[in-house]
Amino acid sequence: MEDTHDPNPEGSAAVRWIRANLPLLLFALLLLAVLPMRDLWAPDEPDFAQCVKEMRHMGEWLLPYLNGHPYSEKPILYYWVMKVSDLLGDHLTGGLGFTQGVAAWALRLPSVVAAVAFMAAFQRWIRRFLPGRAELALMVLATTPIWFWQSQFIQIDLLFSALLAWSWFCWLAGYLLLRGHAVARAQEEHRVWFLKAYVWLSLAFLAKGPLAPALSLLLVLAFLLWQRDLKALPRTGLAVGLLLTLVLVSPWYVAAGLRGGAHYAYQMIIYQNFDRATHAWDHIQPWWEYGRYILGDFFPWVLFLPALALHLRRDGSSRDPLRRFLVLAFAVPFLFLSAVESKQGKYLLMAYPFLALLLADLWREVGEGGSPARIRRLGGLLAAGLALPAGALLAAALGAGGAKVRLQVAPYLGPIRLMALVMITGTAVTLVSAVRGRGRRLVPGASLSLGLLFLVGGTWGFHRLDPAKSYRRWTADVQPLIAGRKVYYWQTIRSGVMVYTDHLMPEIRDAAGLERLGPGDRLVAQRNECEMDAWGMTPALRARFQILLSVPTGSGHILLLKKTQ
């Protein structure tokens, strides 16, 4: 008789666990591979690094500081997790990669952890409430360009979006259990899910302010109206939940307002939220701009939105409360943020997990019961989507675009050629799967190609690009020239110029400030701003400064100047 006993049950369990979590593990490994490959990149990463540096230097936990002043652009949560990550990283590694108390990899870690933790929770939620879609949803979301980029960037938006999206998933779970659309595992389980929703909402509030409850309230009301179920509102604990949110966030807001003063409180609460929404001063875009953003941010999966709309309409899925909520969780932020003057693609980040899950629902049907004609049609469209970056990369690798473009591309030909090969191979494999009617292979094959593209670009490509974008060269060249001197900055500070030095650089905004500079003082400026006849700068005044140092960084040059007369 054949021995069916498994000689290594622990090994078998480990293999099963790896297979069950493979997309999540690959995404985590991708982010860890990219984590150390570059330094701080403008515009936002040096600002956050400088805030953490100053908080560490001052022993400060209540307020973030930038260039010696309280920084009011965002609430405190992200600064807390960055500072904790920075302190732990410094202690555990003995200062590996740290300069002036900060390291890019340590500050980047909170975004990585938030992304992976959300994806793990997202996977568990789907397996319980919409089985059979988890792996597909994770593959779509992980290979969405904006999700990958923000998951390895020192910026607040991934943490905020993960907290807010998870709050919405918790609320939806509570509603499904409350109305009997899912089987409860414990008595009154829906109350636990609603409580979780409001706690996570509180953390999202502490990450980015009142946008979190505003969007949440709009989403819940829109959903209950569509369901014609407003009578469920009292049982969701919404009023108590919003009160709990205020109770949890108010201590920091009150303490920060008292410490920072009335001006800081106004900047934090009114100026950065209500004024920015109604009278924006940056990133001002027309109302339809998110329609353009999504074309790149959600590529290539955006190509299937028309098919998704037909899928929801044809099989009656739009009448299902779970899918209704998923639709609204994308549509409400999209419409609300479109009405706000200031727009950036990352602002819509919290909506993409819901769109990814809807697309997973579509692709599951294609893979399990789709007709050969439908598989060929959608698979061919996916192959065409992959062919677009493949063609662009191949053209760059072959030197298309003229001498100037070839000169710019030359340092990056190695990663470009490898990325072109990856995408050409992925396009061919996807096309063959589509022609042969192998619907189940389409999303995994395309996701693997995109993941390899991100891996090559995020490691080899970022490493090649980093010297041009990092402030390390500037720091090494300028440090001996500013030691022991007062250093000022012309116009609004670019934090990268000081984050690795031991200087703060007070900002000078007008000609009177320039006149007050002494012969031993130094002035730092972006070349383009220094050469502009604006803010009181004139050719005659500019002629009174000598350029001591000019360092190319990013798309411009940083100047160190001294006054000669």
Side-chain angles (χ1 to χ4, degrees):
M1 180 181 294
E2 182 181 354
D3 184 6
T4 59
H5 176 68
D6 188 344
N8 188 10
E10 292 185 2
S12 298
V15 169
R16 288 195 298 271
W17 184 87
I18 290 172
R19 288 177 177 173
N21 296 278
L22 190 58
L24 177 64
L25 292 173
L26 291 176
F27 180 65
L29 291 173
L30 170 63
L31 294 182
L32 290 176
V34 173
L35 181 70
M37 290 298 169
R38 62 182 178 86
D39 199 59
L40 304 170
W41 285 5
D44 294 320
E45 289 193 317
D47 284 344
F48 285 115
Q50 181 64 23
C51 287
V52 172
K53 173 186 169 181
E54 294 186 35
M55 289 175 74
R56 286 194 62 176
H57 178 73
M58 300 168 66
E60 178 67 48
W61 286 95
L62 184 59
L63 298 179
Y65 281 77
L66 182 63
N67 209 7
H69 300 285
Y71 191 51
S72 61
E73 186 168 336
K74 293 294 183 291
I76 196 62
L77 182 64
Y78 190 55
Y79 301 97
W80 280 342
V81 295
M82 280 192 301
K83 185 177 176 182
V84 169
S85 178
D86 197 64
L87 288 168
L88 286 175
D90 196 0
H91 175 72
L92 294 176
T93 67
L96 180 64
F98 280 77
T99 305
Q100 290 291 323
V102 292
W105 71 265
L107 300 179
R108 198 164 286 132
L109 201 56
S111 292
V112 172
V113 172
V116 174
F118 173 81
M119 296 278 272
F122 183 47
Q123 177 178 262
R124 291 195 303 272
W125 192 98
I126 299 170
R127 285 177 174 170
R128 172 156 185 202
F129 294 102
L130 199 59
R133 282 83 169 171
E135 288 72 20
L136 291 170
L138 260 65
M139 286 186 279
V140 170
L141 185 58
T143 54
T144 295
I146 190 69
W147 189 267
F148 163 72
W149 175 256
Q150 292 297 144
S151 296
Q152 54 80 56
F153 202 69
I154 304 171
Q155 216 167 46
I156 201 167
D157 297 274
L158 195 286
L159 176 66
F160 167 72
S161 298
L163 292 170
L164 187 57
W166 183 238
S167 169
W168 293 353
F169 275 112
C170 290
W171 192 94
L172 175 57
Y175 180 85
L176 294 174
L177 293 167
L178 173 67
R179 288 309 190 203
H181 298 293
V183 178
R185 294 176 176 173
Q187 191 174 7
E188 301 293 307
E189 186 188 1
H190 64 279
R191 296 182 183 273
V192 177
W193 282 101
F194 285 134
L195 179 61
K196 289 180 182 178
Y198 301 128
V199 171
W200 291 110
L201 176 62
S202 303
L203 294 177
F205 197 140
L206 275 177
K208 204 173 180 179
L211 177 64
L215 279 177
S216 300
L217 185 60
L218 286 174
L219 173 58
V220 166
L221 292 178
F223 172 70
L224 292 177
L225 283 170
W226 195 3
Q227 283 289 103
R228 299 181 182 179
D229 195 17
L230 281 175
K231 59 182 178 295
L233 194 58
R235 298 188 63 188
T236 67
L238 183 62
V240 174
L242 293 176
L243 179 61
L244 174 64
T245 300
L246 289 175
V247 168
L248 292 176
V249 304
S250 293
W252 177 80
Y253 272 90
V254 171
L258 292 174
R259 169 78 70 82
H263 177 72
Y264 179 85
Y266 171 81
Q267 290 281 322
M268 169 62 66
I269 299 171
I270 305 299
Y271 184 71
Q272 292 292 346
N273 294 287
F274 301 102
D275 286 358
R276 192 165 197 160
T278 56
H279 300 91
W281 56 87
D282 60 356
H283 310 300
I284 299 174
Q285 303 288 353
W287 64 267
W288 43 263
E289 189 68 11
Y290 281 110
R292 185 180 69 84
Y293 279 135
I294 195 175
L295 293 177
D297 292 346
F298 200 63
F299 187 85
W301 311 110
V302 66
L303 300 174
F304 302 97
L305 294 189
L308 174 61
L310 291 174
H311 166 71
L312 291 172
R313 182 178 179 182
R314 184 178 60 248
D315 68 357
S317 295
S318 60
R319 293 190 293 273
D320 174 59
L322 190 157
R323 291 170 177 81
R324 281 184 173 181
F325 189 95
L326 297 179
V327 170
L328 288 173
F330 174 76
V332 168
F334 186 93
L335 295 174
F336 178 84
L337 295 171
S338 294
V340 174
E341 285 189 325
S342 182
K343 298 178 179 66
Q344 293 191 79
K346 62 184 182 178
Y347 295 166
L348 195 59
L349 197 64
M350 83 291 290
Y352 288 127
F354 301 92
L355 197 54
L357 183 48
L358 285 169
L359 283 172
D361 199 34
L362 166 68
W363 281 107
R364 182 174 185 269
E365 180 189 276
V366 171
E368 293 193 352
S371 66
R374 192 182 188 200
I375 292 173
R376 286 193 294 270
R377 184 169 62 252
L378 293 181
L381 183 59
L382 182 56
L386 297 179
L388 290 176
L393 289 164
L394 181 61
L398 295 176
K404 183 178 180 181
V405 173
R406 286 197 295 272
L407 184 63
Q408 293 173 336
V409 167
Y412 316 110
L413 271 179
I416 286 174
R417 287 168 177 164
L418 184 53
M419 288 190 291
L421 178 62
V422 166
M423 292 310 295
I424 291 170
T425 304
T427 300
V429 169
T430 302
L431 187 59
V432 169
S433 297
V435 170
R436 293 183 175 180
R438 297 173 177 173
R440 292 185 178 182
R441 296 187 179 183
L442 291 173
V443 172
S447 298
L448 180 60
S449 300
L450 291 167
L452 290 173
L453 176 73
F454 295 161
L455 178 63
V456 176
T459 53
W460 193 2
F462 282 0
H463 184 67
R464 285 285 181 91
L465 186 59
D466 189 56
K469 295 181 71 68
S470 170
Y471 290 88
R472 293 285 184 177
R473 178 183 168 188
W474 154 262
T475 303
D477 291 348
V478 78
Q479 192 78 315
L481 301 177
I482 62 175
R485 297 182 182 274
K486 293 181 179 179
V487 185
Y488 299 86
Y489 192 90
W490 175 238
Q491 293 308 306
T492 304
I493 189 75
R494 305 298 200 277
S495 298
V497 303
M498 64 179 175
V499 69
Y500 293 135
T501 73
D502 56 0
H503 282 71
L504 296 182
M505 299 182 184
E507 298 162 23
I508 295 177
R509 303 292 188 89
D510 54 31
L514 295 176
E515 293 288 356
R516 288 192 292 269
L517 290 177
D521 299 338
R522 296 294 181 257
L523 182 69
V524 178
Q526 300 290 324
R527 180 184 288 277
N528 63 331
E529 293 183 343
C530 184
E531 294 178 348
M532 291 175 61
D533 291 339
W535 311 293
M537 180 67 79
T538 64
L541 183 55
R542 192 159 41 243
R544 297 169 60 189
F545 286 86
Q546 175 188 350
I547 298 177
L548 299 178
L549 183 67
S550 176
V551 179
T553 304
S555 58
H557 282 71
I558 308 172
L559 306 179
L560 178 70
L561 307 108
K562 75 171 183 177
K563 200 173 182 183
T564 59
Q565 51 178 304

